[in-house]
C-alpha cells in the first residue's frame, strides 16, 4: 500500500500546500530578530513611551472634531493605527521588495505552487502578525494605561481595524514596487510610512495649516485615525462614512496598482555565477528586448 493510501486508511490527511506555506511564513517571520524589533517591538515601545508621558492626563477629555475622547484612548487609538500601518504597510512593502530583489518569488514561480498560494500565505502571516501586535498593545492599554473601551462601540473598532488592514496591505504591495533594490527598501518605505503615520493625528493633534491639513486629510492614515478615534470616543458620531469611503478608495487604488505593475522578480536580481559569460551577444539583446509582464 502506498504512503498516501496508508494515510487515508488511518484517517489522516497531509496539510495542504497553502497551509504549509503559511507555516513557513510564520516561522521565517518570528525567527528574524530584525523583523521582530522593527515590526513587532517598535509599536509596543512607542506606546509605552507615549502612554507613560501622558499617563497623568489619562482621564482628561480631549475634543477631536465632533468626538470627546480621553487622553488615554487618544494615545491608544494612535498606536493602534501606527501598529497596523507598521505591519500591513511598511512590513509588506519592505518584505516584498527584498524578496523580489533576491529572487525568492521568482524561484517560487518555477515550482508547481500557484501565485495565489504564495501571496495568500504571505498575507495570512501579515494578518496574524497584525492581530498579535494589536492584541499586545490592547492588553497594555487596558491593564496599565487607563484605556476604556465602550462595549457598544467595540464592533466599530474591530471593523475600523479590518478596513485599515484591507487598505494598507494592497498599498504596501504597490509601494514595494518603488525601491530599486533591497538596500533602498527600508529608507524609502519608512520615508513614506513615518510622516503618514504621525501626520494622521493619532498620537497628538498637530497644528497644520489649511493647505497641509487638506492634503493630510486625503492620505490613508487620516481616515483610519478618525474611525479608530470615533470607536474609542465618549460621545460623537458612531461612524464616519466619508472616512470609510476614503479608505475603500485607497484600497481599490492600491489593489489596482499592485495587480497592474506587480513583478515577481527585480531587473537587478542577482544572476547565477557565470551566467552572463555563457550568454552570447545576440541572446543578451533578445533577453533585454523581451517584454516583462506580471508573470516575470
Amino acid at each position: 500500500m502506498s504512503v498516501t493510501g496508508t494515510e487515508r486508511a488511518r484517517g489522516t490527511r497531509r496539510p495542504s500546500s497553502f497551509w504549509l506555506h503559511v507555516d513557513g511564513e510564520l516561522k521565517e517571520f518570528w525567527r528574524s530578530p530584525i523583523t521582530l524589533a522593527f515590526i513587532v517591538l517598535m509599536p509596543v515601545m512607542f506606546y509605552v513611551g507615549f502612554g507613560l508621558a501622558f499617563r497623568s492626563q489619562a482621564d482628561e477629555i480631549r475634543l477631536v472634531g465632533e468626538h470627546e475622547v480621553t487622553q488615554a484612548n487618544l494615545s491608544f487609538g494612535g498606536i493602534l493605527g501606527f501598529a497596523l500601518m507598521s505591519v500591513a504597510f511598511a512590513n509588506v512593502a519592505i518584505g516584498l521588495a527584498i524578496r523580489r530583489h533576491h529572487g525568492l518569488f521568482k524561484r517560487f514561480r518555477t515550482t508547481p505552487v500557484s501565485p495565489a498560494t504564495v501571496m495568500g500565505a504571505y498575507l495570512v502571516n501579515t494578518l496574524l502578525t497584525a492581530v498579535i501586535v494589536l492584541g499586545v498593545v490592547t492588553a497594555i492599554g487596558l491593564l496599565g494605561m487607563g484605556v476604556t473601551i465602550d462595549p457598544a462601540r467595540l464592533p466599530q473598532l474591530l471593523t475600523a481595524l479590518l478596513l485599515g488592514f484591507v487598505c494598507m496591505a494592497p498599498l504596501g504591495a504597490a509601494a514595494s514596487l518603488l525601491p530599486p533594490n533591497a538596500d533602498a527598501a527600508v529608507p524609502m518605505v519608512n520615508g513614506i510610512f513615518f510622516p503618514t503615520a504621525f501626520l494622521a493625528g493619532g498620537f497628538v493633534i498637530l497644528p497644520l495649516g489649511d493647505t497641509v491639513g487638506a492634503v493630510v486629510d486625503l492620505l490613508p492614515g487620516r481616515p483610519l485615525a478618525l474611525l479608530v478615534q470615533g470607536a474609542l470616543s465618549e460621545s460623537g458620531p458612531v461612524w464616519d462614512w466619508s472616512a470609510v469611503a476614503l479608505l475603500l478608495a485607497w484600497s481599490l487604488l492600491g489593489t489596482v496598482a499592485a495587480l497592474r505593475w506587480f513583478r515577481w522578480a527585480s531587473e537587478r536580481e542577482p544572476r547565477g555565477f557565470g551566467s552572463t559569460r555563457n550568454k552570447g551577444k545576440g541572446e543578451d539583446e533578445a533577453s533585454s528586448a523581451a517584454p516583462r509582464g506580471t508573470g516575470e
Side-chain angles (χ1 to χ4, degrees):
M1 183 180 292
S2 65
V3 175
T4 304
T6 303
E7 291 176 347
R8 290 177 179 174
R10 294 177 180 176
T12 61
R13 182 178 300 175
R14 297 179 62 185
S16 65
S17 174
F18 176 77
W19 291 112
L20 287 174
H21 274 74
V22 171
D23 180 65
E25 290 286 351
L26 288 171
K27 291 178 179 178
E28 180 179 356
F29 181 89
W30 292 101
R31 290 174 179 174
S32 173
I34 297 178
T35 302
L36 292 178
F38 285 94
I39 302 301
V40 177
L41 295 182
M42 184 173 63
V44 175
M45 291 187 295
F46 267 57
Y47 185 37
V48 172
F50 274 95
L52 293 178
F54 292 100
R55 187 66 181 88
S56 60
Q57 308 170 18
D59 296 329
E60 295 185 10
I61 301 297
R62 309 294 185 190
L63 183 62
V64 183
E66 301 179 67
H67 297 97
E68 292 183 349
V69 56
T70 63
Q71 179 60 56
N73 283 14
L74 181 62
S75 300
F76 175 62
I79 202 63
L80 286 180
F82 179 85
L84 187 60
M85 292 182 66
S86 175
V87 175
F89 175 78
N91 174 49
V92 169
I94 294 173
L96 290 182
I98 292 176
R99 291 181 179 209
R100 181 181 298 112
H101 174 76
H102 291 295
L104 297 180
F105 282 137
K106 187 173 184 178
R107 283 192 277 274
F108 272 126
R109 294 286 286 164
T110 64
T111 70
V113 181
S114 67
T117 296
V118 175
M119 291 305 300
Y122 185 82
L123 292 177
V124 167
N125 170 62
T126 303
L127 178 60
L128 292 176
T129 303
V131 171
I132 292 173
V133 174
L134 295 178
V136 171
V137 169
T138 301
I140 295 174
L142 293 175
L143 297 176
M145 299 297 180
V147 172
T148 57
I149 301 178
D150 184 357
R153 297 200 176 196
L154 182 58
Q156 178 191 354
L157 177 61
L158 296 177
T159 303
L161 295 175
L162 180 60
L163 284 173
F165 181 86
V166 171
C167 173
M168 296 301 168
L171 288 176
S176 72
L177 301 171
L178 298 177
N181 51 56
D183 294 333
V186 174
M188 288 186 66
V189 172
N190 283 337
I192 300 172
F193 161 59
F194 279 106
T196 303
F198 281 99
L199 290 176
F203 297 103
V204 292
I205 308 301
L206 300 175
L208 303 175
D210 293 338
T211 302
V212 176
V215 174
V216 170
D217 287 343
L218 296 177
L219 298 178
R222 185 59 181 158
L224 175 60
L226 291 175
L227 291 177
V228 173
Q229 289 170 353
L232 296 172
S233 63
E234 304 291 327
S235 63
V238 176
W239 204 246
D240 190 331
W241 291 107
S242 61
V244 173
L246 190 54
L247 274 182
L248 292 177
W250 275 107
S251 176
L252 179 61
L253 178 63
T255 301
V256 171
L259 292 177
R260 172 62 180 83
W261 289 289
F262 187 83
R263 299 190 308 271
W264 289 99
S266 171
E267 292 181 356
R268 293 177 173 82
E269 179 191 3
R271 304 298 178 183
F273 177 77
S275 60
T276 303
R277 292 182 300 175
N278 293 333
K279 282 187 176 182
K281 180 178 179 181
E283 185 179 353
D284 283 337
E285 294 175 352
S287 176
S288 62
R292 292 181 170 86
T294 56
E296 184 176 351

